[in-house]
Every structure is written in C-alpha cells, then in structure tokens.
Amino acid sequence: MHELQVTEQILEIALKHVEGQDVSRIVNIHLRIGDLTDLEGEWIQHYFDYLSKGTLAENAKLEIEQVPIVLACEDCGAHFKVTKHELGEAKCPECQDDEPNFRMISGREYTVMNLEVV
Ligand SMILES: [Zn+2]
C-alpha cells in the first residue's frame, strides 16, 4: 500500500467530515494505523502537508496511534498479538493447533478516529 494514496484518502475523509460545518480549520487528526500496513507516520505527515495545502486541513497535525496485529483463533476463540514477522508461522497460544485457522482482528486498518477543529 502506498503512503501517498492512503494520505489522500485520509485527507478526503477529514475534509468530508467538516463539509458544510462552521469550521475554519482542522488542527489535529487522530489516526489509528495497523502495524501490518507498513505506513510510516513521518511520511504520512510529509505527504499530508503537501496534499492539504490550500484546504481546511492545511497545517493540521497528524496524531498517529499504532495498532498491533491481533489474530483470533477460529478453533478456540483466543485473541493474541503477533508481530509482522511472526504472522506466517503464528500458533495459537491457547490450543497450540498445528493447522490453525486465524482471523485478523486488527493490524490492517487505517482509520480516522477524531478531528480537532477550530
Ligand atoms: Zn486456539
């Protein structure tokens, strides 16, 4: 996934949010970004500064919260965290199933949580 595309979407979501409202500026955008996305906060801010020029979100500061990768075991229902490197060979800590079925609970998302406006 490319940072530039994601940043465009984040900006779009933020601007849509304040559309038609009495807002003079977006000052802060709180984001949650999954560890699996490979998105670098520094780059997102960099692209954001560039893309948001001339919009209500110009100079807004991005506050990025990293979200860990969490898997759910379909066999026993346990939830547990893994790192990106462990993902391929993840084993359920509860049932130790050799052929596990996992569902990803979090780690892939990038979500706009909150906007601070003036
Ligand atoms: Zn399990």
Side-chain angles (χ1 to χ4, degrees):
M1 201 174 348
H2 198 280
E3 266 112 347
L4 186 58
Q5 281 174 305
V6 171
T7 311
E8 263 170 353
Q9 284 176 30
I10 290 167
L11 177 63
E12 217 171 277
I13 293 167
L15 291 175
K16 218 176 204 139
H17 218 82
V18 297
E19 211 174 50
Q21 291 185 49
D22 190 19
V23 164
S24 60
R25 209 159 71 75
I26 299 172
V27 284
N28 253 313
I29 300 175
H30 181 188
L31 298 172
R32 278 169 70 95
I33 291 180
D35 276 346
L36 196 63
T37 60
D38 274 331
L39 298 170
E40 296 276 351
E42 206 180 307
W43 277 100
I44 295 177
Q45 180 75 63
H46 182 78
Y47 284 129
F48 191 87
D49 290 346
Y50 169 74
L51 292 169
S52 63
K53 279 200 170 61
T55 73
L56 287 180
E58 185 167 358
N59 295 324
K61 187 167 180 337
L62 304 180
E63 283 178 18
I64 295 169
E65 186 187 330
Q66 290 289 137
V67 182
I69 302 167
V70 176
L71 299 179
C73 173
E74 300 275 33
D75 297 324
C76 73
H79 286 201
F80 57 98
K81 284 183 200 174
V82 293
T83 66
K84 218 182 324 176
H85 304 289
E86 291 166 346
L87 198 58
E89 51 212 50
K91 233 181 180 185
C92 174
E94 296 296 328
C95 64
Q96 308 281 337
D97 197 327
D98 280 340
E99 289 172 30
N101 279 307
F102 295 133
R103 194 158 47 88
M104 196 172 291
I105 301 290
S106 71
R108 249 194 309 234
E109 68 271 59
Y110 53 97
T111 319
V112 177
M113 298 299 288
N114 252 312
L115 298 177
E116 236 173 84
V117 297
V118 289

